[in-house]
Amino acid sequence: MDRAIALQLVKKQLTEHRYVHTLGVMESSLRLAAQYGADLKKAELAAIFHDYAKFRPKEEMKQVVIDESLPLDLLDFGNELLHAPVGSILVKREAGIHDKEILSAIYYHTTGNGRMSQLEKIVFLADYIEPNRQFPGVEEVRDAAERNLNEACLLAVKNTVQFLMKQNQKIYPLTIETYNGLQEEIRRKK
Amino acid sequence: MDRAIALQLVKKQLTEHRYVHTLGVMESSLRLAAQYGADLKKAELAAIFHDYAKFRPKEEMKQVVIDESLPLDLLDFGNELLHAPVGSILVKREAGIHDKEILSAIYYHTTGNGRMSQLEKIVFLADYIEPNRQFPGVEEVRDAAERNLNEACLLAVKNTVQFLMKQNQKIYPLTIETYNGLQEEIRRKK
């Protein structure tokens, strides 16, 4: 799918603020893909569509979880998590994207998973460090992204866990699988 | 079982340092049980036996995991976790303790679980705050233990997660279930 058409489809789904964020994720995703030798087109499309479901009503998202047999425990963890797996379903259904690597990068862009693909890591990280993001710790992750994809993702997931604990929010188990998987991968490569 | 007999059985299994720690856990466990209205005898015995398997050879512990169909993922997380569930099995086998609440408090004393009993919380917390423990954050947990059992356990599990992340050690999934379970329980009671 052409970038312009993809952006047009996504713009209708998002607020202006979220669309600007999406453009930032696209930019960061392309930069990371070029740097780490990933498929540029897939990195671009996954980034453009990553927040496609962000503003769907909660009831609609719940229905998608049930209809598509997504993990039911997603329903115990609020919209912040739900939009990513639900997004991967709706992007397939409504935008006709069928590439499994792209859909999986959308699915896991918030939580990651225990055995992340390179594309999943790129979109996960791009979402975290895109130029519009401003929060404590983001500069460190940006610096790490220049050097090592796994180390940067690990830093991002550590910050996320710390943030959730500080806010007394629950932590989705997959987030810890991501942390453990990255620790193992980093150790194996040393 | 009488305290003196229990201590005699346990002393043989431990180093002097670990035995002193065990006496500290017993003291803290009894204090917490009195404060929160738990069974004193069970709190005492669970505390005395909590580290029973601490110095068993790793191979023996692995064999217990296999023979008793304990979760196999325990084997991916090092001795620090293994001694607790293996201990609950050996305490039953070798010391003849059959009380399920006591055995469960031993089993979960390192990780906790998503729906902890009061006794499990008491032994988990006593192990963390006993008088010989000295590490950053322990005083805060001791203070919290004076006021609220769930809040104190939550603080302990948060510190543990933070410590593990700082050390780049993997986090056992049950630890996050403990965190999430405590968050839910605290929210329900507000």
Side-chain angles (χ1 to χ4, degrees):
Chain A
M1 185 183 292
D2 182 70
R3 176 198 288 198
I5 294 171
L7 285 174
Q8 209 180 0
L9 284 174
V10 155
K11 200 171 194 303
K12 286 184 231 162
Q13 302 291 327
L14 303 176
T15 60
E16 182 60 25
H17 179 262
R18 187 56 49 175
Y19 182 67
V20 170
H21 159 71
T22 293
L23 293 176
V25 177
M26 182 182 78
E27 179 191 323
S28 295
S29 187
L30 278 168
R31 196 156 35 79
L32 290 168
Q35 186 182 341
Y36 291 106
D39 186 308
L40 293 178
K41 193 68 209 165
K42 290 188 185 195
E44 180 182 79
L45 280 178
I48 291 175
F49 283 108
H50 84 287
D51 270 350
Y52 184 82
K54 190 81 181 180
F55 299 102
R56 293 297 168 109
K58 178 134 196 200
E59 283 314 308
E60 184 185 345
M61 291 207 268
K62 280 185 180 174
Q63 201 54 52
V64 173
V65 170
I66 292 160
D67 292 347
E68 303 282 340
S69 304
L70 298 180
L72 284 174
D73 66 352
L74 283 167
L75 301 177
D76 303 329
F77 285 82
N79 289 17
E80 194 44 54
L81 281 186
L82 222 44
H83 80 280
V86 167
S88 80
I89 301 284
L90 296 184
V91 164
K92 186 175 174 183
R93 228 187 246 170
E94 300 177 6
I97 305 271
H98 288 272
D99 183 282
K100 283 194 177 138
E101 290 183 84
I102 294 174
L103 294 175
S104 177
I106 296 170
Y107 190 109
Y108 291 110
H109 82 264
T110 308
T111 58
N113 64 67
R115 303 175 73 106
M116 289 173 88
S117 71
Q118 195 189 40
L119 191 69
E120 285 165 3
K121 288 174 191 167
I122 284 171
V123 177
F124 173 85
L125 189 58
D127 186 29
Y128 199 90
I129 63 169
E130 64 93 2
N132 304 291
R133 293 286 205 197
Q134 286 172 337
F135 46 78
V138 70
E139 270 314 322
E140 266 181 281
V141 183
R142 283 191 185 116
D143 289 349
E146 300 290 330
R147 297 188 306 272
N148 186 303
L149 188 60
N150 285 333
E151 296 279 5
C153 287
L154 181 65
L155 213 49
V157 77
K158 279 183 179 180
N159 286 356
T160 299
V161 169
Q162 232 138 15
F163 173 80
L164 292 170
M165 290 200 303
K166 212 167 174 182
Q167 304 276 319
N168 285 317
Q169 289 188 55
K170 291 203 291 175
I171 298 167
Y172 193 57
L174 207 50
T175 299
I176 296 303
E177 284 184 42
T178 304
Y179 168 84
N180 286 335
L182 289 166
Q183 289 287 14
E184 277 180 11
E185 207 176 331
I186 289 166
R187 214 164 299 167
R188 267 200 310 277
K189 286 186 177 162
K190 262 178 185 161
Chain B
M1 185 184 293
D2 182 68
R3 175 197 288 198
I5 294 171
L7 285 174
Q8 209 180 358
L9 284 173
V10 155
K11 201 173 194 303
K12 286 184 232 164
Q13 303 291 328
L14 302 177
T15 58
E16 181 59 24
H17 178 262
R18 187 56 47 174
Y19 183 68
V20 171
H21 160 71
T22 293
L23 293 177
V25 178
M26 181 182 80
E27 180 191 323
S28 293
S29 187
L30 277 168
R31 197 157 34 81
L32 290 168
Q35 187 182 339
Y36 291 106
D39 186 308
L40 294 177
K41 194 67 208 164
K42 291 188 185 194
E44 181 183 78
L45 280 178
I48 292 175
F49 283 108
H50 83 288
D51 269 350
Y52 185 83
K54 190 82 181 180
F55 298 102
R56 293 295 169 110
K58 178 134 196 199
E59 283 314 308
E60 183 184 346
M61 291 207 268
K62 279 186 180 174
Q63 200 55 52
V64 172
V65 170
I66 293 160
D67 293 346
E68 302 282 341
S69 305
L70 298 180
L72 284 175
D73 66 352
L74 283 167
L75 301 177
D76 303 328
F77 285 82
N79 290 17
E80 192 45 52
L81 281 185
L82 222 45
H83 79 280
V86 168
S88 81
I89 301 285
L90 296 184
V91 163
K92 186 174 174 183
R93 230 187 244 171
E94 300 176 6
I97 305 272
H98 288 271
D99 184 283
K100 283 194 176 140
E101 290 183 85
I102 294 174
L103 294 176
S104 177
I106 297 169
Y107 189 110
Y108 292 111
H109 83 263
T110 308
T111 57
N113 64 67
R115 303 176 72 106
M116 290 173 87
S117 70
Q118 194 189 42
L119 191 69
E120 286 165 2
K121 288 174 191 167
I122 284 171
V123 177
F124 173 85
L125 189 58
D127 186 31
Y128 199 90
I129 62 170
E130 64 93 1
N132 304 292
R133 294 286 205 197
Q134 285 172 337
F135 47 77
V138 70
E139 269 314 322
E140 265 183 283
V141 183
R142 283 190 185 115
D143 289 349
E146 300 291 330
R147 298 188 305 272
N148 185 303
L149 188 59
N150 286 333
E151 296 279 5
C153 287
L154 181 65
L155 213 48
V157 78
K158 280 183 180 181
N159 286 354
T160 299
V161 169
Q162 233 139 16
F163 173 80
L164 291 170
M165 290 199 304
K166 213 169 172 181
Q167 304 275 319
N168 285 317
Q169 290 186 55
K170 290 202 292 176
I171 298 166
Y172 193 57
L174 207 49
T175 300
I176 296 302
E177 283 185 43
T178 305
Y179 169 83
N180 287 335
L182 289 166
Q183 288 288 13
E184 276 181 12
E185 208 176 331
I186 288 167
R187 213 164 299 167
R188 269 201 310 277
K189 286 185 176 160
K190 263 179 184 158

